[in-house]
CSV table of all heavy atoms in Angstrom, one decimal:
chain,number,residue,atom,x,y,z
A,516,CYS,N,12.1,-40.7,-1.3
A,516,CYS,CA,11.0,-41.0,-0.4
A,516,CYS,C,10.3,-39.7,-0.1
A,516,CYS,O,10.8,-38.6,-0.2
A,516,CYS,CB,11.5,-41.6,0.9
A,516,CYS,SG,12.2,-43.2,0.7
A,517,ASP,N,9.0,-39.9,0.3
A,517,ASP,CA,8.2,-38.7,0.7
A,517,ASP,C,8.9,-37.9,1.8
A,517,ASP,O,9.6,-38.5,2.7
A,517,ASP,CB,6.8,-39.2,1.1
A,517,ASP,CG,5.8,-38.1,1.3
A,517,ASP,OD1,5.9,-37.2,2.2
A,517,ASP,OD2,4.9,-38.0,0.4
A,518,ASP,N,8.6,-36.6,1.8
A,518,ASP,CA,9.4,-35.8,2.8
A,518,ASP,C,8.8,-36.0,4.2
A,518,ASP,O,9.3,-35.2,5.1
A,518,ASP,CB,9.3,-34.3,2.4
A,518,ASP,CG,7.8,-33.8,2.3
A,518,ASP,OD1,6.9,-34.5,2.8
A,518,ASP,OD2,7.7,-32.6,1.9
A,519,GLY,N,7.9,-36.9,4.5
A,519,GLY,CA,7.4,-37.1,5.8
A,519,GLY,C,6.1,-36.6,6.1
A,519,GLY,O,5.5,-37.0,7.2
A,520,ASN,N,5.5,-35.8,5.2
A,520,ASN,CA,4.1,-35.4,5.3
A,520,ASN,C,3.2,-36.3,4.6
A,520,ASN,O,1.8,-36.0,4.7
A,520,ASN,CB,4.0,-33.9,4.7
A,520,ASN,CG,4.8,-32.9,5.6
A,520,ASN,OD1,4.9,-33.0,6.8
A,520,ASN,ND2,5.4,-32.0,4.8
A,521,ALA,N,3.6,-37.4,4.1
A,521,ALA,CA,2.7,-38.3,3.4
A,521,ALA,C,1.7,-37.6,2.4
A,521,ALA,O,0.6,-37.9,2.3
A,521,ALA,CB,1.9,-39.1,4.5
A,522,ASP,N,2.3,-36.6,1.7
A,522,ASP,CA,1.5,-35.9,0.7
A,522,ASP,C,2.0,-36.1,-0.7
A,522,ASP,O,1.4,-35.4,-1.6
A,522,ASP,CB,1.5,-34.4,1.1
A,522,ASP,CG,2.8,-33.8,1.2
A,522,ASP,OD1,3.8,-34.5,1.0
A,522,ASP,OD2,2.9,-32.6,1.6
A,523,GLY,N,3.0,-36.9,-0.9
A,523,GLY,CA,3.5,-37.1,-2.3
A,523,GLY,C,4.5,-36.1,-2.8
A,523,GLY,O,4.8,-36.0,-4.0
A,524,PHE,N,5.0,-35.2,-1.9
A,524,PHE,CA,6.0,-34.3,-2.3
A,524,PHE,C,7.3,-34.4,-1.6
A,524,PHE,O,7.3,-34.8,-0.4
A,524,PHE,CB,5.4,-32.8,-2.0
A,524,PHE,CG,4.2,-32.5,-2.8
A,524,PHE,CD1,2.9,-32.6,-2.2
A,524,PHE,CD2,4.3,-32.0,-4.1
A,524,PHE,CE1,1.8,-32.3,-3.0
A,524,PHE,CE2,3.2,-31.7,-4.8
A,524,PHE,CZ,1.9,-31.8,-4.3
A,525,ALA,N,8.4,-34.2,-2.3
A,525,ALA,CA,9.7,-34.3,-1.8
A,525,ALA,C,10.7,-33.4,-2.5
A,525,ALA,O,10.4,-32.8,-3.5
A,525,ALA,CB,10.1,-35.8,-1.8
A,526,THR,N,11.8,-33.3,-2.0
A,526,THR,CA,12.9,-32.4,-2.5
A,526,THR,C,13.9,-33.2,-3.3
A,526,THR,O,14.4,-34.3,-2.8
A,526,THR,CB,13.6,-31.6,-1.4
A,526,THR,OG1,12.6,-30.9,-0.7
A,526,THR,CG2,14.6,-30.7,-2.0
A,527,PHE,N,14.2,-32.8,-4.5
A,527,PHE,CA,15.1,-33.5,-5.4
A,527,PHE,C,16.3,-32.6,-5.7
A,527,PHE,O,16.1,-31.4,-5.9
A,527,PHE,CB,14.4,-33.9,-6.7
A,527,PHE,CG,13.4,-34.9,-6.6
A,527,PHE,CD1,12.1,-34.6,-6.3
A,527,PHE,CD2,13.7,-36.2,-6.9
A,527,PHE,CE1,11.1,-35.5,-6.2
A,527,PHE,CE2,12.6,-37.2,-6.8
A,527,PHE,CZ,11.4,-36.8,-6.4
A,528,ASN,N,17.5,-33.2,-5.9
A,528,ASN,CA,18.6,-32.4,-6.4
A,528,ASN,C,18.8,-32.8,-7.8
A,528,ASN,O,19.3,-33.9,-8.2
A,528,ASN,CB,19.9,-32.8,-5.6
A,528,ASN,CG,21.1,-31.9,-6.1
A,528,ASN,OD1,21.0,-31.2,-7.0
A,528,ASN,ND2,22.2,-32.2,-5.4
A,529,LEU,N,18.2,-31.9,-8.7
A,529,LEU,CA,18.2,-32.2,-10.1
A,529,LEU,C,19.6,-32.4,-10.7
A,529,LEU,O,19.7,-33.0,-11.8
A,529,LEU,CB,17.3,-31.2,-10.9
A,529,LEU,CG,15.9,-31.0,-10.3
A,529,LEU,CD1,15.2,-29.9,-11.2
A,529,LEU,CD2,15.1,-32.3,-10.3
A,530,LEU,N,20.6,-31.8,-10.1
A,530,LEU,CA,21.9,-31.8,-10.6
A,530,LEU,C,22.5,-33.2,-10.6
A,530,LEU,O,23.5,-33.4,-11.3
A,530,LEU,CB,22.8,-30.8,-9.9
A,530,LEU,CG,22.4,-29.3,-10.0
A,530,LEU,CD1,23.4,-28.4,-9.3
A,530,LEU,CD2,22.2,-28.9,-11.4
A,531,ASP,N,21.9,-34.1,-9.8
A,531,ASP,CA,22.4,-35.5,-9.8
A,531,ASP,C,22.1,-36.1,-11.1
A,531,ASP,O,22.8,-37.1,-11.4
A,531,ASP,CB,21.6,-36.2,-8.7
A,531,ASP,CG,22.0,-35.8,-7.3
A,531,ASP,OD1,23.1,-35.1,-7.1
A,531,ASP,OD2,21.2,-36.1,-6.3
A,532,ALA,N,21.2,-35.6,-11.9
A,532,ALA,CA,21.0,-36.1,-13.2
A,532,ALA,C,21.8,-35.5,-14.3
A,532,ALA,O,21.8,-36.0,-15.5
A,532,ALA,CB,19.4,-36.1,-13.6
A,533,GLU,N,22.5,-34.4,-13.9
A,533,GLU,CA,23.2,-33.6,-15.0
A,533,GLU,C,24.1,-34.4,-15.8
A,533,GLU,O,24.2,-34.3,-17.1
A,533,GLU,CB,23.8,-32.4,-14.3
A,533,GLU,CG,24.4,-31.4,-15.3
A,533,GLU,CD,25.0,-30.2,-14.6
A,533,GLU,OE1,25.8,-30.4,-13.7
A,533,GLU,OE2,24.7,-29.1,-14.9
A,534,GLN,N,25.0,-35.1,-15.2
A,534,GLN,CA,26.1,-35.8,-16.0
A,534,GLN,C,25.4,-36.9,-16.9
A,534,GLN,O,25.9,-37.0,-18.1
A,534,GLN,CB,27.1,-36.5,-14.9
A,534,GLN,CG,28.3,-37.1,-15.7
A,534,GLN,CD,29.1,-36.0,-16.5
A,534,GLN,OE1,29.4,-35.0,-15.9
A,534,GLN,NE2,29.3,-36.2,-17.7
A,535,ASP,N,24.4,-37.6,-16.4
A,535,ASP,CA,23.9,-38.6,-17.3
A,535,ASP,C,23.2,-37.9,-18.5
A,535,ASP,O,23.3,-38.4,-19.7
A,535,ASP,CB,22.9,-39.5,-16.6
A,535,ASP,CG,22.5,-40.7,-17.3
A,535,ASP,OD1,23.2,-41.7,-17.2
A,535,ASP,OD2,21.5,-40.7,-18.1
A,536,LEU,N,22.6,-36.8,-18.3
A,536,LEU,CA,22.0,-36.0,-19.4
A,536,LEU,C,23.1,-35.6,-20.4
A,536,LEU,O,22.8,-35.6,-21.6
A,536,LEU,CB,21.2,-34.9,-18.9
A,536,LEU,CG,19.9,-35.2,-18.0
A,536,LEU,CD1,19.4,-33.9,-17.3
A,536,LEU,CD2,18.9,-35.8,-18.8
A,537,LEU,N,24.2,-35.1,-19.9
A,537,LEU,CA,25.2,-34.6,-20.8
A,537,LEU,C,25.9,-35.8,-21.6
A,537,LEU,O,26.3,-35.6,-22.7
A,537,LEU,CB,26.3,-33.8,-20.0
A,537,LEU,CG,25.9,-32.5,-19.4
A,537,LEU,CD1,27.0,-31.9,-18.5
A,537,LEU,CD2,25.6,-31.4,-20.5
A,538,ASP,N,25.9,-36.9,-20.9
A,538,ASP,CA,26.5,-38.1,-21.6
A,538,ASP,C,25.7,-38.6,-22.8
A,538,ASP,O,26.3,-39.4,-23.6
A,538,ASP,CB,26.6,-39.2,-20.6
A,538,ASP,CG,27.7,-39.0,-19.5
A,538,ASP,OD1,28.6,-38.1,-19.7
A,538,ASP,OD2,27.7,-39.6,-18.5
A,539,GLN,N,24.6,-38.0,-23.1
A,539,GLN,CA,23.7,-38.4,-24.2
A,539,GLN,C,24.3,-37.7,-25.5
A,539,GLN,O,23.8,-38.0,-26.6
A,539,GLN,CB,22.3,-38.1,-24.0
A,539,GLN,CG,21.7,-38.7,-22.7
A,539,GLN,CD,22.0,-40.1,-22.5
A,539,GLN,OE1,21.8,-40.9,-23.5
A,539,GLN,NE2,22.6,-40.5,-21.4
A,540,PHE,N,25.2,-36.8,-25.3
A,540,PHE,CA,25.8,-36.1,-26.6
A,540,PHE,C,27.3,-36.4,-26.7
A,540,PHE,O,28.0,-36.6,-25.7
A,540,PHE,CB,25.5,-34.6,-26.5
A,540,PHE,CG,24.1,-34.3,-26.3
A,540,PHE,CD1,23.5,-34.1,-25.0
A,540,PHE,CD2,23.3,-34.1,-27.4
A,540,PHE,CE1,22.2,-33.8,-24.9
A,540,PHE,CE2,21.9,-33.9,-27.3
A,540,PHE,CZ,21.4,-33.7,-26.1
A,541,PRO,N,27.8,-36.4,-27.9
A,541,PRO,CA,29.2,-36.8,-28.2
A,541,PRO,C,30.2,-35.9,-27.4
A,541,PRO,O,31.2,-36.5,-26.8
A,541,PRO,CB,29.4,-36.6,-29.6
A,541,PRO,CG,28.0,-36.7,-30.2
A,541,PRO,CD,27.0,-36.1,-29.2
A,542,SER,N,30.0,-34.7,-27.3
A,542,SER,CA,31.0,-33.8,-26.6
A,542,SER,C,30.2,-33.1,-25.5
A,542,SER,O,29.2,-32.4,-25.7
A,542,SER,CB,31.5,-32.8,-27.6
A,542,SER,OG,32.4,-31.9,-26.9
A,543,THR,N,30.7,-33.2,-24.3
A,543,THR,CA,30.1,-32.4,-23.2
A,543,THR,C,30.8,-31.2,-22.8
A,543,THR,O,30.4,-30.5,-21.9
A,543,THR,CB,30.0,-33.4,-22.0
A,543,THR,OG1,31.3,-33.7,-21.6
A,543,THR,CG2,29.2,-34.6,-22.3
A,544,GLN,N,31.9,-30.8,-23.5
A,544,GLN,CA,32.7,-29.7,-23.1
A,544,GLN,C,31.9,-28.4,-23.5
A,544,GLN,O,31.5,-28.2,-24.6
A,544,GLN,CB,34.0,-29.6,-23.8
A,544,GLN,CG,35.0,-28.5,-23.4
A,544,GLN,CD,36.3,-28.6,-24.1
A,544,GLN,OE1,36.5,-29.5,-24.9
A,544,GLN,NE2,37.1,-27.6,-23.7
A,545,GLY,N,31.6,-27.6,-22.4
A,545,GLY,CA,31.1,-26.3,-22.7
A,545,GLY,C,29.5,-26.4,-22.6
A,545,GLY,O,28.8,-25.3,-22.8
A,546,LEU,N,28.9,-27.6,-22.5
A,546,LEU,CA,27.5,-27.7,-22.5
A,546,LEU,C,26.9,-27.5,-21.1
A,546,LEU,O,27.5,-27.8,-20.1
A,546,LEU,CB,27.1,-29.1,-23.1
A,546,LEU,CG,27.5,-29.4,-24.5
A,546,LEU,CD1,26.9,-30.8,-24.9
A,546,LEU,CD2,27.0,-28.4,-25.5
A,547,THR,N,25.7,-26.9,-21.1
A,547,THR,CA,25.0,-26.7,-19.8
A,547,THR,C,23.7,-27.3,-19.9
A,547,THR,O,23.1,-27.4,-21.0
A,547,THR,CB,24.9,-25.2,-19.5
A,547,THR,OG1,24.1,-24.5,-20.4
A,547,THR,CG2,26.2,-24.6,-19.4
A,548,VAL,N,23.1,-27.6,-18.7
A,548,VAL,CA,21.8,-28.2,-18.6
A,548,VAL,C,20.9,-27.3,-17.8
A,548,VAL,O,21.3,-26.8,-16.7
A,548,VAL,CB,21.8,-29.6,-17.9
A,548,VAL,CG1,20.4,-30.2,-17.7
A,548,VAL,CG2,22.8,-30.6,-18.7
A,549,SER,N,19.7,-27.1,-18.3
A,549,SER,CA,18.6,-26.3,-17.6
A,549,SER,C,17.4,-27.1,-17.6
A,549,SER,O,17.1,-28.0,-18.5
A,549,SER,CB,18.5,-25.0,-18.2
A,549,SER,OG,18.2,-25.1,-19.6
A,550,PHE,N,16.5,-26.9,-16.6
A,550,PHE,CA,15.4,-27.7,-16.3
A,550,PHE,C,14.2,-26.8,-16.3
A,550,PHE,O,14.2,-25.6,-15.9
A,550,PHE,CB,15.4,-28.4,-15.0
A,550,PHE,CG,16.7,-29.2,-14.8
A,550,PHE,CD1,17.9,-28.7,-14.3
A,550,PHE,CD2,16.7,-30.6,-15.2
A,550,PHE,CE1,19.0,-29.5,-14.1
A,550,PHE,CE2,17.8,-31.3,-15.0
A,550,PHE,CZ,18.9,-30.8,-14.5
A,551,TYR,N,13.0,-27.4,-16.8
A,551,TYR,CA,11.8,-26.5,-17.0
A,551,TYR,C,10.6,-27.3,-16.6
A,551,TYR,O,10.6,-28.6,-16.9
A,551,TYR,CB,11.6,-26.0,-18.4
A,551,TYR,CG,12.8,-25.2,-19.0
A,551,TYR,CD1,13.9,-25.9,-19.5
A,551,TYR,CD2,12.8,-23.9,-18.9
A,551,TYR,CE1,15.0,-25.1,-19.9
A,551,TYR,CE2,13.8,-23.1,-19.4
A,551,TYR,CZ,15.0,-23.8,-19.9
A,551,TYR,OH,16.1,-23.0,-20.3
A,552,GLN,N,9.5,-26.7,-16.2
A,552,GLN,CA,8.3,-27.3,-15.9
A,552,GLN,C,7.3,-27.3,-17.0
A,552,GLN,O,6.5,-28.1,-17.2
A,552,GLN,CB,7.5,-26.6,-14.7
A,552,GLN,CG,8.3,-26.7,-13.4
A,552,GLN,CD,7.6,-25.9,-12.3
A,552,GLN,OE1,7.1,-24.8,-12.5
A,552,GLN,NE2,7.6,-26.5,-11.1
A,553,ASP,N,7.6,-26.3,-18.0
A,553,ASP,CA,6.7,-26.1,-19.1
A,553,ASP,C,7.4,-26.3,-20.4
A,553,ASP,O,8.5,-25.8,-20.6
A,553,ASP,CB,6.1,-24.6,-19.0
A,553,ASP,CG,5.2,-24.3,-20.2
A,553,ASP,OD1,4.0,-24.8,-20.2
A,553,ASP,OD2,5.6,-23.7,-21.1
A,554,GLU,N,6.8,-27.0,-21.3
A,554,GLU,CA,7.4,-27.3,-22.6
A,554,GLU,C,7.7,-26.0,-23.4
A,554,GLU,O,8.8,-26.0,-24.0
A,554,GLU,CB,6.5,-28.2,-23.4
A,554,GLU,CG,7.1,-28.6,-24.8
A,554,GLU,CD,6.3,-29.5,-25.6
A,554,GLU,OE1,5.1,-29.7,-25.2
A,554,GLU,OE2,6.7,-30.2,-26.5
A,555,ASN,N,6.8,-25.1,-23.5
A,555,ASN,CA,7.0,-23.9,-24.2
A,555,ASN,C,8.2,-23.1,-23.7
A,555,ASN,O,8.9,-22.6,-24.4
A,555,ASN,CB,5.8,-23.0,-24.3
A,555,ASN,CG,5.7,-22.0,-25.4
A,555,ASN,OD1,6.1,-22.3,-26.5
A,555,ASN,ND2,5.4,-20.8,-25.1
A,556,ASP,N,8.2,-23.1,-22.3
A,556,ASP,CA,9.4,-22.4,-21.7
A,556,ASP,C,10.7,-23.1,-22.1
A,556,ASP,O,11.8,-22.4,-22.4
A,556,ASP,CB,9.2,-22.4,-20.2
A,556,ASP,CG,8.3,-21.3,-19.8
A,556,ASP,OD1,7.9,-20.4,-20.5
A,556,ASP,OD2,7.8,-21.4,-18.6
A,557,ALA,N,10.7,-24.4,-22.1
A,557,ALA,CA,11.9,-25.1,-22.5
A,557,ALA,C,12.4,-24.8,-24.0
A,557,ALA,O,13.5,-24.6,-24.3
A,557,ALA,CB,11.7,-26.6,-22.3
A,558,LEU,N,11.3,-24.8,-24.9
A,558,LEU,CA,11.7,-24.5,-26.3
A,558,LEU,C,12.1,-23.1,-26.5
A,558,LEU,O,13.1,-22.8,-27.3
A,558,LEU,CB,10.4,-24.7,-27.1
A,558,LEU,CG,9.8,-26.2,-27.2
A,558,LEU,CD1,8.5,-26.2,-28.0
A,558,LEU,CD2,10.9,-27.0,-27.9
A,559,LEU,N,11.5,-22.1,-25.7
A,559,LEU,CA,12.0,-20.7,-25.8
A,559,LEU,C,13.1,-20.3,-24.9
A,559,LEU,O,13.5,-19.2,-24.8
A,559,LEU,CB,10.8,-19.9,-25.6
A,559,LEU,CG,9.7,-20.0,-26.6
A,559,LEU,CD1,8.5,-19.2,-26.3
A,559,LEU,CD2,10.1,-19.7,-28.0
A,560,LYS,N,13.6,-21.2,-24.0
A,560,LYS,CA,14.7,-21.0,-23.1
A,560,LYS,C,14.3,-19.9,-22.1
A,560,LYS,O,15.1,-19.0,-22.0
A,560,LYS,CB,15.9,-20.7,-23.9
A,560,LYS,CG,17.2,-20.8,-23.1
A,560,LYS,CD,18.4,-20.3,-23.9
A,560,LYS,CE,19.7,-20.3,-23.0
A,560,LYS,NZ,20.8,-19.8,-23.7
A,561,ARG,N,13.2,-20.0,-21.5
A,561,ARG,CA,12.9,-19.0,-20.5
A,561,ARG,C,12.2,-19.7,-19.3
A,561,ARG,O,11.7,-20.7,-19.4
A,561,ARG,CB,11.9,-17.9,-21.1
A,561,ARG,CG,10.5,-18.4,-21.5
A,561,ARG,CD,9.7,-17.4,-22.3
A,561,ARG,NE,8.5,-17.9,-22.8
A,561,ARG,CZ,7.7,-17.4,-23.7
A,561,ARG,NH1,8.1,-16.2,-24.2
A,561,ARG,NH2,6.5,-17.8,-24.1
A,562,ASN,N,12.3,-18.9,-18.2
A,562,ASN,CA,11.7,-19.4,-16.9
A,562,ASN,C,12.3,-20.7,-16.5
A,562,ASN,O,11.5,-21.7,-16.1
A,562,ASN,CB,10.2,-19.4,-16.9
A,562,ASN,CG,9.6,-18.1,-17.3
A,562,ASN,OD1,10.1,-17.0,-16.9
A,562,ASN,ND2,8.5,-18.1,-18.0
A,563,PRO,N,13.6,-20.9,-16.5
A,563,PRO,CA,14.2,-22.2,-16.0
A,563,PRO,C,13.9,-22.4,-14.6
A,563,PRO,O,13.7,-21.3,-13.8
A,563,PRO,CB,15.6,-22.1,-16.4
A,563,PRO,CG,16.0,-20.6,-16.3
A,563,PRO,CD,14.7,-20.0,-16.9
A,564,ILE,N,14.0,-23.6,-14.1
A,564,ILE,CA,13.9,-23.9,-12.6
A,564,ILE,C,15.1,-23.2,-11.9
A,564,ILE,O,16.2,-23.4,-12.3
A,564,ILE,CB,13.8,-25.3,-12.4
A,564,ILE,CG1,12.5,-25.9,-12.9
A,564,ILE,CG2,13.9,-25.6,-10.8
A,564,ILE,CD1,12.4,-27.4,-12.8
A,565,GLY,N,14.8,-22.3,-11.0
A,565,GLY,CA,15.8,-21.4,-10.5
A,565,GLY,C,16.8,-22.1,-9.5
A,565,GLY,O,17.9,-21.6,-9.4
A,566,ASN,N,16.4,-23.1,-8.7
A,566,ASN,CA,17.1,-23.7,-7.7
A,566,ASN,C,17.2,-25.2,-7.9
A,566,ASN,O,16.5,-26.0,-7.2
A,566,ASN,CB,16.7,-23.3,-6.3
A,566,ASN,CG,17.7,-23.8,-5.2
A,566,ASN,OD1,18.8,-24.1,-5.5
A,566,ASN,ND2,17.2,-23.9,-4.0
A,567,PRO,N,17.8,-25.7,-8.9
A,567,PRO,CA,17.8,-27.1,-9.2
A,567,PRO,C,18.3,-28.0,-8.1
A,567,PRO,O,18.1,-29.2,-8.1
A,567,PRO,CB,18.5,-27.3,-10.5
A,567,PRO,CG,19.5,-26.1,-10.6
A,567,PRO,CD,18.7,-25.0,-9.9
A,568,GLU,N,19.2,-27.5,-7.3
A,568,GLU,CA,19.8,-28.2,-6.2
A,568,GLU,C,18.7,-28.7,-5.1
A,568,GLU,O,18.9,-29.6,-4.3
A,568,GLU,CB,20.9,-27.5,-5.4
A,568,GLU,CG,22.1,-27.2,-6.4
A,568,GLU,CD,21.9,-25.8,-7.0
A,568,GLU,OE1,20.8,-25.3,-6.9
A,568,GLU,OE2,22.9,-25.2,-7.5
A,569,SER,N,17.6,-27.9,-5.1
A,569,SER,CA,16.6,-28.1,-4.1
A,569,SER,C,15.3,-27.9,-4.7
A,569,SER,O,14.5,-26.9,-4.4
A,569,SER,CB,16.8,-27.3,-2.9
A,569,SER,OG,15.9,-27.6,-1.9
A,570,TYR,N,14.8,-28.9,-5.6
A,570,TYR,CA,13.6,-28.7,-6.2
A,570,TYR,C,12.4,-29.6,-5.7
A,570,TYR,O,12.7,-30.8,-5.5
A,570,TYR,CB,13.7,-29.0,-7.7
A,570,TYR,CG,12.3,-29.0,-8.5
A,570,TYR,CD1,11.8,-27.9,-8.8
A,570,TYR,CD2,11.7,-30.2,-8.9
A,570,TYR,CE1,10.6,-27.8,-9.5
A,570,TYR,CE2,10.6,-30.3,-9.5
A,570,TYR,CZ,10.0,-29.0,-9.9
A,570,TYR,OH,8.8,-29.1,-10.6
A,571,THR,N,11.3,-29.1,-5.4
A,571,THR,CA,10.2,-29.8,-4.8
A,571,THR,C,9.1,-30.0,-6.0
A,571,THR,O,8.8,-29.0,-6.7
A,571,THR,CB,9.5,-29.1,-3.7
A,571,THR,OG1,10.5,-29.0,-2.6
A,571,THR,CG2,8.4,-29.9,-3.1
A,572,ASN,N,8.8,-31.3,-6.2
A,572,ASN,CA,7.8,-31.5,-7.3
A,572,ASN,C,6.6,-30.8,-7.1
A,572,ASN,O,6.1,-30.6,-5.9
A,572,ASN,CB,7.6,-33.0,-7.4
A,572,ASN,CG,7.2,-33.6,-6.1
A,572,ASN,OD1,7.9,-33.6,-5.1
A,572,ASN,ND2,6.0,-34.3,-6.2
A,573,THR,N,5.9,-30.5,-8.2
A,573,THR,CA,4.6,-29.7,-8.1
A,573,THR,C,3.5,-30.6,-8.4
A,573,THR,O,2.3,-30.1,-8.1
A,573,THR,CB,4.6,-28.5,-9.1
A,573,THR,OG1,4.8,-29.1,-10.4
A,573,THR,CG2,5.8,-27.5,-8.9
A,574,LEU,N,3.7,-31.8,-8.8
A,574,LEU,CA,2.6,-32.8,-8.9
A,574,LEU,C,2.9,-33.9,-8.0
A,574,LEU,O,3.9,-34.4,-7.9
A,574,LEU,CB,2.5,-33.3,-10.3
A,574,LEU,CG,2.2,-32.3,-11.4
A,574,LEU,CD1,2.3,-32.9,-12.8
A,574,LEU,CD2,0.9,-31.6,-11.3
A,575,ALA,N,1.8,-34.3,-7.2
A,575,ALA,CA,2.0,-35.3,-6.1
A,575,ALA,C,2.5,-36.7,-6.7
A,575,ALA,O,1.9,-37.1,-7.8
A,575,ALA,CB,0.7,-35.5,-5.3
A,576,TYR,N,3.5,-37.2,-6.1
A,576,TYR,CA,4.1,-38.5,-6.3
A,576,TYR,C,4.8,-38.7,-7.6
A,576,TYR,O,5.8,-39.5,-7.7
A,576,TYR,CB,3.0,-39.6,-6.2
A,576,TYR,CG,2.3,-39.7,-4.8
A,576,TYR,CD1,1.1,-39.2,-4.6
A,576,TYR,CD2,3.1,-40.2,-3.8
A,576,TYR,CE1,0.6,-39.1,-3.3
A,576,TYR,CE2,2.6,-40.2,-2.4
A,576,TYR,CZ,1.3,-39.7,-2.2
A,576,TYR,OH,0.8,-39.7,-1.0
A,577,SER,N,4.4,-38.0,-8.7
A,577,SER,CA,5.1,-38.3,-10.0
A,577,SER,C,5.1,-37.0,-10.9
A,577,SER,O,4.0,-36.4,-11.0
A,577,SER,CB,4.4,-39.4,-10.8
A,577,SER,OG,5.0,-39.6,-12.0
A,578,GLU,N,6.2,-36.6,-11.5
A,578,GLU,CA,6.3,-35.5,-12.3
A,578,GLU,C,7.4,-35.7,-13.3
A,578,GLU,O,8.5,-36.2,-12.9
A,578,GLU,CB,6.5,-34.2,-11.5
A,578,GLU,CG,6.6,-33.0,-12.4
A,578,GLU,CD,6.7,-31.6,-11.5
A,578,GLU,OE1,7.1,-31.7,-10.4
A,578,GLU,OE2,6.6,-30.6,-12.0
A,579,THR,N,7.2,-35.3,-14.6
A,579,THR,CA,8.3,-35.3,-15.6
A,579,THR,C,8.7,-33.9,-16.0
A,579,THR,O,7.7,-33.1,-16.4
A,579,THR,CB,7.8,-36.1,-16.8
A,579,THR,OG1,7.4,-37.5,-16.4
A,579,THR,CG2,8.9,-36.3,-17.9
Side-chain angles (χ1 to χ4, degrees):
C516 296
D517 193 288
D518 59 8
N520 293 323
D522 55 5
F524 295 97
T526 300
F527 294 83
N528 184 356
L529 304 182
L530 297 184
D531 289 342
E533 184 177 52
Q534 189 58 52
D535 195 85
L536 295 168
L537 292 175
D538 288 344
Q539 306 309 308
F540 299 94
S542 173
T543 60
Q544 184 175 3
L546 299 185
T547 61
V548 178
S549 52
F550 304 92
Y551 303 84
Q552 294 175 319
D553 180 77
E554 180 179 15
N555 198 46
D556 283 346
L558 292 173
L559 296 175
K560 196 184 176 184
R561 64 187 176 197
N562 302 323
I564 293 173
N566 187 17
E568 299 92 342
S569 181
Y570 174 74
T571 300
N572 55 301
T573 59
L574 299 176
Y576 296 107
S577 179
E578 183 178 13
T579 303

